[in-house]
Amino acid sequence: MREWWRELAGLVLPVDCAGCGAARTLLCGRCLEALSGAAAGPVRPWPRPAGLPVVHAAAGYEGGVREVLLAHKERGALPLAGALGAALAAAVRAGGRGARAGPGELALVPVPSARRQVRARGHDPARRIALAAAARLRRAGVPACVAPVLALRRAVADQAALGARERRENLAGALAVCRDGPRLTAGASIVLVDDLITTGATLAEAARAVRAAGLVQGVGPRAAVVAAPAGSFDRNRSATRTDQKSCE
């Protein structure tokens, strides 16, 4: 019976590792390690968009991590959400909120996808990963929920072919908090979440929206993502500066 189930699963799940192509496994040990969050840290895109909150990422957007994210988002490999959610949970904890820095629970607020993208993909990747991350945090003893309180209030262009400035202009004022947002996040520490950060324009707009709605006070929200370009990690910037000084 077990072998029959494995063969049936092979018809609907990737028969090779989604990250590196290793045979007969959803994710191999190496790709799971890359998504473990062991390398989680703060990231800063350059140029840094105004209003971007502090962002922590679990892994560099390269190699197997990139392939896993694309398989989940664009090719509908939904079982990968568990590993990606674990990575996102690690990024949330790396940002200091996993230790209950404030009263109440953590409210993971996913960046919304456009409705046409959700229809085309058949799912909302950021929300699915956020749900998996919240479950992982709760199992670790951290009260967490997903609060999908952000929505697009106007049409935006596809970001894929846009540069940093064009992305900021495309998203300016595009997000808003739904009517029930204050109630759904009352007493919670808000963490904006997404699968990926590139220029930071999307998270900066999300942060503007939650600030405008009065959902956060003081320093504002934090943010966490599964992956970011390797060069945007603060530790890599520090290493680059050190190498440059040693060559002078």
Side-chain angles (χ1 to χ4, degrees), residues 2 10 23-24 33 35 61 90 109 115 117 127 133 154 156 161 166 178 188-189 207 209-210 219 237 242:
R2 184 177 300 170
R24 305 299 294 176
E33 176 61 25
L35 288 166
Y61 186 60
V109 176
R115 289 183 180 179
Q117 292 177 325
R127 184 169 180 173
R154 63 170 175 80
V156 296
E166 290 81 9
C178 68
S189 297
V210 299
V219 297
R237 291 181 182 276
T242 300

Side-chain angles (χ1 to χ4, degrees), residues 2-112:
R2 184 177 300 170
E3 290 303 316
W4 174 84
W5 173 250
R6 287 176 180 171
E7 290 301 318
L8 179 62
L11 297 176
V12 294
L13 301 179
V15 296
D16 298 329
C17 174
C20 67
R24 305 299 294 176
T25 180
L26 180 64
L27 278 176
C28 70
R30 180 179 298 180
C31 291
L32 279 172
E33 176 61 25
L35 288 166
S36 68
V43 294
R44 287 184 294 170
W46 183 259
R48 182 187 180 97
L52 180 70
V54 175
V55 185
H56 281 73
Y61 186 60
E62 57 189 358
V65 171
R66 178 180 183 275
E67 294 304 316
V68 172
L69 277 169
L70 289 175
H72 176 261
K73 176 184 277 188
E74 306 296 350
R75 298 194 290 278
L78 303 186
L80 295 172
L84 294 172
L88 181 59
V92 171
R93 294 177 71 90
R97 297 300 180 112
R100 295 194 66 184
E105 66 183 348
L106 293 177
L108 306 188
V109 176
V111 172

Side-chain angles (χ1 to χ4, degrees), residues 6-244:
R6 287 176 180 171
E7 290 301 318
L8 179 62
L11 297 176
V12 294
L13 301 179
V15 296
D16 298 329
C17 174
C20 67
R24 305 299 294 176
T25 180
L26 180 64
L27 278 176
C28 70
R30 180 179 298 180
C31 291
L32 279 172
E33 176 61 25
L35 288 166
S36 68
V43 294
R44 287 184 294 170
W46 183 259
R48 182 187 180 97
L52 180 70
V54 175
V55 185
H56 281 73
Y61 186 60
E62 57 189 358
V65 171
R66 178 180 183 275
E67 294 304 316
V68 172
L69 277 169
L70 289 175
H72 176 261
K73 176 184 277 188
E74 306 296 350
R75 298 194 290 278
L78 303 186
L80 295 172
L84 294 172
L88 181 59
V92 171
R93 294 177 71 90
R97 297 300 180 112
R100 295 194 66 184
E105 66 183 348
L106 293 177
L108 306 188
V109 176
V111 172
S113 298
R115 289 183 180 179
R116 66 179 182 277
Q117 292 177 325
V118 174
R119 286 194 299 268
R121 292 168 176 157
H123 72 123
D124 186 332
R127 184 169 180 173
R128 184 177 293 275
I129 294 171
L131 288 167
R136 176 61 67 100
L137 288 167
R138 289 194 298 271
R139 287 197 295 271
V142 180
C145 68
V146 175
V149 300
L150 288 173
L152 284 163
R153 62 181 181 183
R154 63 170 175 80
V156 296
D158 189 345
Q159 299 266 89
L162 303 181
R165 180 177 59 81
E166 290 81 9
R167 290 188 180 203
R168 291 195 298 271
E169 293 172 352
N170 182 46
L171 289 169
L175 292 175
V177 172
C178 68
R179 182 179 302 176
D180 287 338
R183 177 181 62 81
L184 293 174
T185 59
S189 297
I190 289 178
V191 183
L192 302 171
V193 296
D194 206 352
D195 58 349
L196 175 66
I197 182 174
T198 51
T199 67
T202 303
L203 285 172
E205 169 59 17
R208 182 209 61 77
V210 299
R211 291 188 190 107
L215 301 191
V216 294
Q217 310 296 329
V219 297
R222 289 182 178 267
V225 297
V226 174
S232 66
F233 281 81
D234 279 0
R235 58 178 176 270
N236 292 347
R237 291 181 182 276
S238 299
T240 299
R241 287 194 294 268
T242 300
D243 289 344
Q244 289 174 341

